[in-house]
Amino acid sequence: VDEDSGDQGSAGSRPAVQAGRGRPGGARGMAPGEGSGTVRKGGNRSTSTKTVELKIMGGTDTMQLPTMICTRVSEVRELLAERLLLEPESISFYYKAGAYVRQQLDFQEIQAKTLVKGIRSFKPEAHSWPHPIGIIGSGYNGIKTGISYLKDGNSNIVLFDRNERVGGYCWITGANKTSKLQTEFGSFHVWWGPDIYDSGKCGGYPNCNTGGSWNIWPGKQEILKHFQYAAEEFGLLPH
């Protein structure tokens, strides 16, 4: 029977059955490759979903990772390496098999409970350089940069300056006794910004009101005093 016309086919004129005529993949309702005895390259891989629990070997940190049944170890390794800014070869995966711990191979499907070796956290870690980070100058920008490193927990820094104190060329050498700040101190102070303000150091935003701790348009000595104060508060002077 011709499914498109409903006409009876005679021998020699057309096949007795024309299954799925005009439809890709063969018989109606069947996906490409089904019913033909062929298997897609690489085998049949399940696309059902599962949640994999990743746990750092020797630690307590865990991460729930949505995957498919067919997700392979190599794919999870690439994902973690990109997320954590690491080389894929530095990460390896294991699972418990009774009393034993076995390594998972790249071509295998990732286990539902997987131990991860080669990382200390599931959050990206800053690269550890073999030498200190050099900051040229200890004026406004140098102090601000140093404070940012220390606030982020990186104390491997060294500040270089031609002077023996913080403040920079502009305010130590370039300014004279009559020089004053040409903008309001409230928007100039070196600990400006919500990320640094939240640290609670330097007493928060400066009080420039009458009788406050700071002048709204300070001169040279007060500017240098504020640089020194910030460097002491944030522990920058030893660097």
Side-chain angles (χ1 to χ4, degrees), residues 103-166:
Q103 185 171 2
Q104 301 182 50
L105 304 179
D106 281 354
F107 63 85
Q108 294 175 329
E109 294 176 354
I110 192 76
Q111 294 287 321
K113 289 187 176 293
T114 291
L115 299 171
V116 186
K117 185 178 180 180
I119 64 175
R120 292 179 293 182
S121 171
F122 288 112
K123 297 180 179 179
E125 295 186 18
H127 181 76
S128 180
W129 298 98
H131 304 290
I133 296 169
I135 300 173
I136 308 302
S138 62
Y140 185 97
N141 289 320
I143 294 173
K144 189 92 169 181
T145 301
I147 287 175
S148 297
Y149 273 107
L150 295 178
K151 184 177 177 298
D152 290 340
N154 187 348
S155 60
N156 191 28
I157 60 174
V158 175
L159 279 76
F160 297 91
D161 197 280
R162 72 186 78 186
N163 297 293
E164 296 181 353
R165 59 176 297 188
V166 297

Side-chain angles (χ1 to χ4, degrees), residues 1-183:
V1 178
D2 185 334
E3 290 185 343
D4 293 319
S5 65
D7 294 334
Q8 182 91 20
S10 59
S13 61
R14 64 177 65 180
V17 178
Q18 293 186 354
R21 176 176 163 186
R23 301 180 181 88
R28 181 171 55 187
M30 300 180 73
E34 286 185 327
S36 63
T38 61
V39 178
R40 299 181 195 176
K41 185 177 181 181
N44 289 325
R45 301 182 65 189
S46 173
T47 56
S48 300
T49 59
K50 69 175 180 181
T51 299
V52 172
E53 180 185 86
L54 301 177
K55 182 180 180 181
I56 296 178
M57 185 176 284
T60 58
D61 286 1
T62 61
M63 183 176 76
Q64 304 298 316
L65 181 66
T67 67
M68 294 188 292
I69 297 292
C70 64
T71 300
R72 293 177 176 168
V73 172
S74 59
E75 295 170 321
V76 178
R77 175 182 283 112
E78 291 290 339
L79 183 147
L80 273 185
E82 182 176 355
R83 174 191 176 101
L84 303 178
L85 308 177
L86 297 172
E87 293 296 331
E89 296 76 16
S90 66
I91 307 173
S92 52
F93 301 89
Y94 298 81
Y95 71 100
K96 290 185 177 180
Y100 301 94
V101 176
R102 301 184 185 278
Q103 185 171 2
Q104 301 182 50
L105 304 179
D106 281 354
F107 63 85
Q108 294 175 329
E109 294 176 354
I110 192 76
Q111 294 287 321
K113 289 187 176 293
T114 291
L115 299 171
V116 186
K117 185 178 180 180
I119 64 175
R120 292 179 293 182
S121 171
F122 288 112
K123 297 180 179 179
E125 295 186 18
H127 181 76
S128 180
W129 298 98
H131 304 290
I133 296 169
I135 300 173
I136 308 302
S138 62
Y140 185 97
N141 289 320
I143 294 173
K144 189 92 169 181
T145 301
I147 287 175
S148 297
Y149 273 107
L150 295 178
K151 184 177 177 298
D152 290 340
N154 187 348
S155 60
N156 191 28
I157 60 174
V158 175
L159 279 76
F160 297 91
D161 197 280
R162 72 186 78 186
N163 297 293
E164 296 181 353
R165 59 176 297 188
V166 297
Y169 175 85
C170 179
W171 285 102
I172 293 177
T173 307
N176 58 44
K177 62 182 182 181
T178 63
S179 298
K180 284 184 175 291
L181 189 65
Q182 297 300 301
T183 187

